[in-house]
Amino acid sequence: MTAPKQRKQLKHPYLVRSLRTLGFGLILSVLLHILLDASLSGFNLSDTFEMIKTYPIPFLLGILVLLLVYLFLISLIGNLWASTTILVGTSIVVAFANNQKFLERGEPLYPQEFEMITQWRFMLSMLSTWLVILLFLGIAVIIAIAWVLDRYSRKVSAKYYGRDFKYWDRKTLIIRAVGLVFSGVLLFSLTNFQSSDNWLRKAYNIDAQWKDVDPKESYQQYGFVGGLIYSATANIMDKPAGYSEAKMKQITKKYNKIADEINQTRQNKPMDDVNIVYVMSESFSDPTRLSGVTTSSDPIPETRKIMEKYPSGYSLSQGYGGGTANIEFEALTGLSMYNINPQITSPYQMFLYQKEKFPSLVSSLEQNNYETIAIHPFKPSFYRRTDVYNALQFDKFISRDEMVHTEKLDDSEYISDASAYQETLDQLKASDKSTFIHLVTMQNHMTYWDKYINTIAVEGVPEENKQTVQTYLQGIKYSDDALTDFITQLKHLDKKTMVVFWGDHLPSVFPEEIVNQNTERTMHETPMFMYANFDLPKKDYGTISPIYFAPKMLELTNSKVSPYYALLTEMSQQVQGLEKNVLIDNHNKTIIEDQLSTEAKEYLADYKMVQYDLISGKGYTKTSMFKDR
């Protein structure tokens, strides 16, 4: 009987194993890149391969980045299948989330949204039950397969290589250390992607033209990985030509003078001891203005009555279907998203939370001894609001955790507007000082599944969308009722009180057929009005940006202005609406930049200089432009 034939031992088993591991990682990176890119088109492989064919170099570079991530993971962890499970599982979740966001809002997943993983319960609540089950089932299957393959690969490794590689043996540790340093250094260098000298940026530039490409297009043209890196590393604002301390002193002097001229005709100090309530109503809009949509009854009749009697118009929203915090940023700071680079999709999460004592309407009112309170009936960590409200210098932040009134409507998962208004009234009555309350409601946040007994029918939308649209209509009908009760109670309040009310954005419940029948401007306009329990002149504002709410409020109450609000006051006389894709002149007409008057261009240039100084510059105007005259 002959002895079993011994398998010939490999001369360089560690090298062979490393090359095989890299080869596996390359194949994996190609497949995952296709998956991520496919999530940009509803997993339409035909569109995905067409994009790859059109932009082959970004596709190859995206594979390289994923391969570096794979190399970093396996060098760090030391286990092939554990690393693979993490990379594959993460990619599937990201692709799934990206696809869902595209379906809901027509936008990709931006870098700052990855921190939403901390709000995973809330994110899962926006998905149907079967999608959640499918997602978790898929991840469980991947983990199970990886476990089986890990056990099997150990046997194969012992048979093929003649040994069982240990994670901690000397040669393995050396290889892992080299891989970790190599991949880590290259991945860290991507933080400098915006530099023209960056190695990956140079390679992308062979096939990519980043200038004037908005974030959505950068994803769709250069792939998910390329778009993600570009957005994650973008500058907040580009430095305006001529920016310097001397220039900012010149601008400050100019608007000091203009503020003095405006204040000569105004008698009151800012707001003159008037309570102020900002109400940013979640997804509140007027669906009856949309072409193609017919409702069986008016969902917001009482809001319409208020708008007919008090100063009113429409707010030009920066977002559609989302972006609440960006509209809030504009209203509180007076700083427009128009001047911020398009890759900065969330000022709250991308820079404002890191600031200390950032100038805003809040800090301006504190000069006049106002108590300042923010109320939001949701998690305080959402959009980093706790840190942001501290930066904006609110005295107090009342989230759902501190609210007394937390009632909900029917089967809704969110605290009702009626409860939020009652919380606001309680704060107004409890304070002996003049009070500014910034209320961000939550009742009409997506999703719009069957949670109410709907009383308003809709026509013009496909049958599969009717239930969702009708649920949304019922929600804003409830908001309209709650707003009426709130206004009624304010009429009997002893203290003079003013309300600035607006909807943050339209919801994404309307199908593409409806969106295509309406202009971009229409899809970004929401009702706004300024109510007071004292006399106000009736004004029709047309459509204005949220940056102008504060100067308009100061004008209505004959209040004096700081140099900063003098700038906004003058600018509003030339450009009353400015957002990324919409400009509105002082005749309420939609225009393009080339149609701006010379005076309008001058104000916008000064405004951009001040905005850069406050956000990315040296802060020369941080105190001087906001000091009351």
Side-chain angles (χ1 to χ4, degrees):
M1 183 174 179
T2 59
K5 195 172 184 179
Q6 294 292 320
R7 183 180 182 88
K8 186 178 180 180
Q9 295 295 307
L10 295 173
K11 289 184 178 181
H12 305 287
Y14 285 91
L15 176 61
V16 173
R17 181 172 180 262
S18 297
L19 291 175
R20 284 178 174 270
T21 301
L22 283 176
F24 176 78
L26 179 60
I27 295 171
L28 189 66
S29 299
V30 172
L31 295 175
L32 293 180
H33 200 301
I34 293 173
L35 171 70
L36 291 168
D37 283 356
S39 70
L40 296 165
S41 59
F43 298 109
N44 185 316
L45 290 180
S46 176
D47 289 348
T48 302
F49 288 123
E50 183 62 32
M51 180 180 73
I52 294 170
K53 180 181 176 182
T54 306
Y55 299 99
I57 292 177
F59 176 70
L60 294 174
L61 293 173
I63 293 171
L64 175 60
V65 172
L66 287 176
L67 182 58
L68 287 173
V69 173
Y70 168 81
L71 179 58
F72 182 84
L73 284 173
I74 198 168
S75 298
L76 180 67
I77 298 171
N79 183 286
L80 171 68
W81 298 110
S83 304
T84 300
T85 300
I86 292 172
L87 186 59
V88 172
T90 301
S91 298
I92 288 175
V93 171
V94 169
F96 178 80
N98 186 61
N99 180 62
Q100 287 298 305
K101 191 183 177 194
F102 245 105
L103 290 175
E104 293 291 341
R105 291 173 53 181
E107 291 182 338
L109 203 63
Y110 295 124
Q112 73 280 357
E113 291 170 323
F114 281 82
E115 72 177 35
M116 294 291 188
I117 192 66
T118 59
Q119 313 290 340
W120 61 273
R121 286 191 180 89
F122 170 66
M123 304 307 293
L124 289 177
S125 71
M126 295 192 291
L127 303 176
S128 61
T129 303
W130 74 270
L131 279 176
V132 175
I133 293 173
L134 188 64
L135 180 62
F136 279 104
L137 185 61
I139 294 173
V141 168
I142 291 170
I143 294 172
I145 291 174
W147 183 81
V148 171
L149 289 174
D150 182 56
R151 297 292 296 271
Y152 178 72
S153 66
R154 291 176 183 275
K155 296 179 180 179
V156 172
S157 177
K159 182 178 179 181
Y160 183 80
Y161 295 106
R163 70 188 66 205
D164 182 14
F165 293 95
K166 303 295 184 183
Y167 305 147
W168 54 85
D169 71 41
R170 186 172 62 87
K171 288 185 178 180
T172 298
L173 287 175
I174 291 173
I175 293 171
R176 286 175 60 189
V178 171
L180 192 65
V181 171
F182 176 77
S183 59
V185 168
L186 289 180
L187 288 172
F188 181 76
S189 72
L190 301 188
T191 59
N192 193 37
F193 184 77
Q194 295 298 327
S195 170
S196 59
D197 295 329
N198 182 270
W199 66 274
L200 188 67
R201 179 63 179 267
K202 285 181 178 180
Y204 264 103
N205 285 349
I206 297 172
D207 209 8
Q209 300 294 324
W210 301 102
K211 184 174 174 59
D212 298 327
V213 175
D214 70 24
K216 178 181 176 180
E217 289 175 344
S218 69
Y219 278 77
Q220 292 179 313
Q221 292 178 8
Y222 312 136
F224 183 88
V225 174
L228 189 71
I229 295 171
Y230 184 55
S231 294
T233 59
N235 297 322
I236 301 171
M237 285 183 68
D238 296 326
K239 185 178 180 180
Y243 173 76
S244 65
E245 184 176 6
K247 179 63 176 177
M248 300 319 298
K249 285 182 178 178
Q250 179 186 338
I251 289 175
T252 300
K253 183 178 179 181
K254 175 181 177 180
Y255 290 100
N256 269 323
K257 182 179 178 182
I258 292 176
D260 289 339
E261 291 171 358
I262 293 173
N263 292 339
Q264 284 180 4
T265 62
R266 298 190 181 183
Q267 287 74 47
N268 300 324
K269 66 179 183 179
M271 297 313 298
D272 195 24
D273 296 327
V274 177
N275 285 334
I276 306 166
V277 180
Y278 266 25
V279 178
M280 187 169 72
S281 185
E282 172 63 43
S283 298
F284 191 89
S285 70
D286 183 357
T288 66
R289 299 180 74 237
L290 298 180
S291 299
V293 176
T294 304
T295 60
S296 60
S297 62
D298 186 357
I300 57 167
E302 299 306 319
T303 302
R304 211 176 303 283
K305 290 177 184 177
I306 298 171
M307 293 176 68
E308 290 171 358
K309 186 176 179 181
Y310 292 92
S312 63
Y314 293 90
S315 172
L316 181 62
S317 175
Q318 181 269 339
Y320 170 71
T324 297
N326 294 357
I327 295 93
E328 183 179 6
F329 166 79
E330 291 192 331
L332 291 175
T333 65
L335 299 174
S336 176
M337 295 294 295
Y338 181 80
N339 287 325
I340 294 175
N341 283 334
Q343 291 75 30
I344 306 302
T345 53
S346 177
Y348 273 20
Q349 293 167 283
M350 298 179 82
F351 67 85
L352 192 56
Y353 78 97
Q354 298 172 316
K355 300 285 187 179
E356 289 186 16
K357 295 187 176 181
F358 193 81
S360 65
L361 174 62
V362 183
S363 59
S364 295
L365 289 171
E366 282 196 329
Q367 294 182 51
N368 295 282
N369 201 34
Y370 269 74
E371 181 178 9
T372 55
I373 304 170
I375 300 176
H376 181 45
F378 199 60
K379 299 177 181 179
S381 58
F382 212 56
Y383 285 117
R384 294 182 179 263
R385 277 194 171 93
T386 299
D387 296 328
V388 168
Y389 287 158
N390 284 334
L392 295 176
Q393 301 172 65
F394 277 99
D395 296 325
K396 182 164 54 173
F397 175 25
I398 301 173
S399 70
R400 70 177 187 185
D401 299 333
E402 295 81 34
M403 289 179 66
V404 175
H405 305 279
T406 58
E407 293 78 13
K408 302 174 183 178
L409 293 168
D410 298 345
D411 294 328
S412 174
E413 64 270 44
Y414 302 120
I415 294 173
S416 69
D417 284 2
S419 295
Y421 286 136
Q422 191 57 55
E423 197 78 29
T424 301
L425 286 165
D426 287 355
Q427 293 298 320
L428 289 173
K429 293 174 182 177
S431 179
D432 295 328
K433 300 168 63 177
S434 295
T435 305
F436 170 61
I437 295 180
H438 172 59
L439 169 63
V440 181
T441 71
M442 197 67 186
Q443 176 185 293
N444 294 315
H445 196 283
M446 63 183 300
T447 57
Y448 306 100
W449 294 334
D450 188 14
K451 53 188 174 185
Y452 303 128
I453 299 173
N454 297 332
T455 61
I456 302 176
V458 65
E459 297 296 333
V461 300
E463 193 65 34
E464 62 266 24
N465 298 103
K466 281 189 176 181
Q467 180 66 56
T468 301
V469 175
Q470 288 171 176
T471 299
Y472 167 71
L473 294 175
Q474 188 63 47
I476 61 172
K477 175 64 174 67
Y478 285 142
S479 294
D480 188 69
D481 294 339
L483 178 62
T484 306
D485 293 340
F486 180 56
I487 295 297
T488 299
Q489 294 190 64
L490 289 179
K491 289 178 181 178
H492 303 294
L493 205 64
D494 293 334
K495 185 82 177 204
K496 290 167 66 176
T497 302
M498 187 172 183
V499 175
V500 180
F501 175 96
W502 75 99
D504 59 353
H505 55 73
L506 274 80
S508 57
V509 297
F510 300 104
E512 190 174 352
E513 298 94 309
I514 298 300
V515 175
N516 291 339
Q517 293 180 57
N518 292 273
T519 65
E520 182 159 10
R521 173 172 164 176
T522 302
M523 298 306 295
H524 287 261
E525 290 176 319
T526 63
M528 67 81 55
F529 64 78
M530 297 188 182
Y531 163 84
N533 59 5
F534 54 90
D535 292 337
L536 287 179
K538 175 67 179 88
K539 287 182 178 289
D540 182 0
Y541 289 128
T543 299
I544 63 173
S545 288
I547 63 172
Y548 295 130
F549 292 164
K552 295 296 183 187
M553 184 173 60
L554 292 168
E555 181 184 16
L556 285 172
T557 55
N558 202 26
S559 298
K560 298 182 185 295
V561 296
S562 64
Y564 180 69
Y565 287 122
L567 167 58
L568 287 176
T569 299
E570 294 299 295
M571 195 169 78
S572 70
Q573 306 305 315
Q574 299 293 324
V575 187
Q576 64 184 47
L578 63 159
E579 292 300 346
K580 288 299 181 187
N581 298 314
V582 179
L583 276 177
I584 302 173
D585 66 11
N586 56 345
H587 300 295
N588 203 37
K589 301 294 184 182
T590 304
I591 60 172
I592 59 176
E593 278 194 6
D594 290 345
Q595 296 173 306
L596 289 169
S597 67
T598 302
E599 193 174 8
K601 289 178 180 177
E602 182 180 328
Y603 286 130
L604 284 173
D606 290 344
Y607 176 65
K608 185 175 184 178
M609 196 75 75
V610 172
Q611 184 164 356
Y612 176 83
D613 181 60
L614 295 173
I615 291 176
S616 300
K618 300 295 185 179
Y620 300 121
T621 60
K622 188 175 180 180
T623 301
S624 57
M625 285 290 285
F626 289 83
K627 188 177 294 183
D628 287 340
R629 302 292 289 171

